[in-house]
Amino acid sequence: MIVDVGDTPTLTWRLRDDDGEPIVPTLVVADVRDPAGQITSLTVGSDGPGNFSVQPPITVEGDWRVTWRSVGPDQVEVVGIHAFPAGEAAVWAPTLRQVAVHIPSRTRSQDSYGDDVNRPLGTFTEDTYPTGDDVSRLIGASVAVVSGMVGRPVVTPAYGLASAATALWAAYWAELSWPERDADVSLAQRLREDALLLVEQAKAVNLGAGGGTENQPDPDGLPDRLVSFSFPAPGPPLIL
């Protein structure tokens, strides 16, 4: 989530079972960690069975993290927040889940065991690789890149396309920044190509709606074009 310093965003947590029925835990608590590492408890509200909300006050620029915990059943949910100086956040910035849908294998918990080892969480947390904080920073950087190519200001009719392009761009950077095999690099390039297609569509909509009055950079001139990774093929077996 991307916000401005001074915002008090409303975060919701909806607990449901496999049939979509509300889960009513014995206890639900939440806290927020600020960029300096200070952890503060939050007041949890509820507007119905299984529906919970908090409103963390965002007071300084940087990476924040809200952690939900329930008892009976025991569940944990982590939400990353990146705060920009007032007036610089994009209301159309994608969420962690919107980035995760493009690279679900990256949302596996590094601390999972048994049947949960290969089960994607569908979002990024402190236990995924990359973490929620990592991807929040990528989202912030991707907003800057996409808004620059689409043209500022990005106006309301272009929000959806700009958000989708930014989610793809953040996923592209996540794959490129944390490669584990050559396939990750190939996927990254496909994500980038898809992002650029959406950027062009968003740019056309934005210009048609009266936005994009500032100059747009050439995407081929972006420095990440220079980055490449390769993994050597395995050599012959070692015979002792």
Side-chain angles (χ1 to χ4, degrees):
M1 174 181 287
I2 307 296
V3 300
D4 277 328
V5 171
D7 284 350
T8 306
T10 298
L11 279 67
T12 58
W13 194 28
R14 292 180 170 83
L15 293 176
R16 299 292 186 270
D17 61 21
D18 292 340
D19 296 323
E21 295 298 318
I23 296 174
V24 182
T26 305
L27 176 68
V28 172
V29 297
D31 59 52
V32 60
R33 188 192 70 184
D34 67 21
Q38 180 70 35
I39 297 176
T40 304
S41 296
L42 296 170
T43 300
V44 178
S46 177
D47 62 0
N51 297 338
F52 305 95
S53 63
V54 293
Q55 293 182 308
I58 306 301
T59 55
V60 297
E61 180 182 0
D63 294 313
W64 295 69
R65 188 182 70 198
V66 171
T67 302
W68 298 89
R69 295 180 178 85
S70 69
V71 177
D74 296 342
Q75 296 190 31
V76 177
E77 174 86 0
V78 179
V79 179
I81 300 173
H82 185 79
F84 282 98
E88 294 186 13
V91 297
W92 45 266
T95 64
L96 291 174
R97 287 188 179 277
Q98 288 171 319
V99 175
V101 73
H102 299 295
I103 46 175
S105 64
R106 293 292 188 175
T107 68
R108 296 188 179 100
S109 173
Q110 301 297 302
D111 292 335
S112 57
Y113 301 93
D115 293 338
D116 292 330
V117 169
N118 293 315
R119 182 178 300 167
L121 300 176
T123 189
F124 299 94
T125 72
E126 62 183 345
D127 296 324
T128 57
Y129 182 76
T131 67
D133 288 347
D134 292 331
V135 178
S136 290
R137 283 189 288 271
L138 292 181
I139 290 173
S142 299
V143 164
V145 169
V146 170
S147 62
M149 289 190 288
V150 169
R152 301 183 184 92
V154 179
V155 295
T156 304
Y159 281 1
L161 286 168
S163 178
T166 302
L168 283 163
W169 202 276
Y172 154 64
W173 266 341
E175 287 294 306
L176 199 63
S177 301
W178 286 271
E180 296 178 339
R181 58 195 189 285
D182 274 332
D184 294 339
V185 180
S186 299
L187 172 59
Q189 295 304 323
R190 291 197 299 273
L191 290 167
R192 186 181 194 277
E193 292 168 4
D194 290 345
L196 288 175
L197 288 175
L198 286 179
V199 162
E200 289 304 311
Q201 295 176 34
K203 180 178 177 180
V205 171
N206 200 45
L207 289 171
T213 55
E214 298 180 16
N215 292 330
Q216 298 89 27
D218 177 4
D220 288 336
L222 293 174
D224 56 23
R225 293 282 290 183
L226 303 177
V227 178
S228 63
F229 295 89
S230 181
F231 295 84
L238 180 63
I239 300 176
L240 299 178

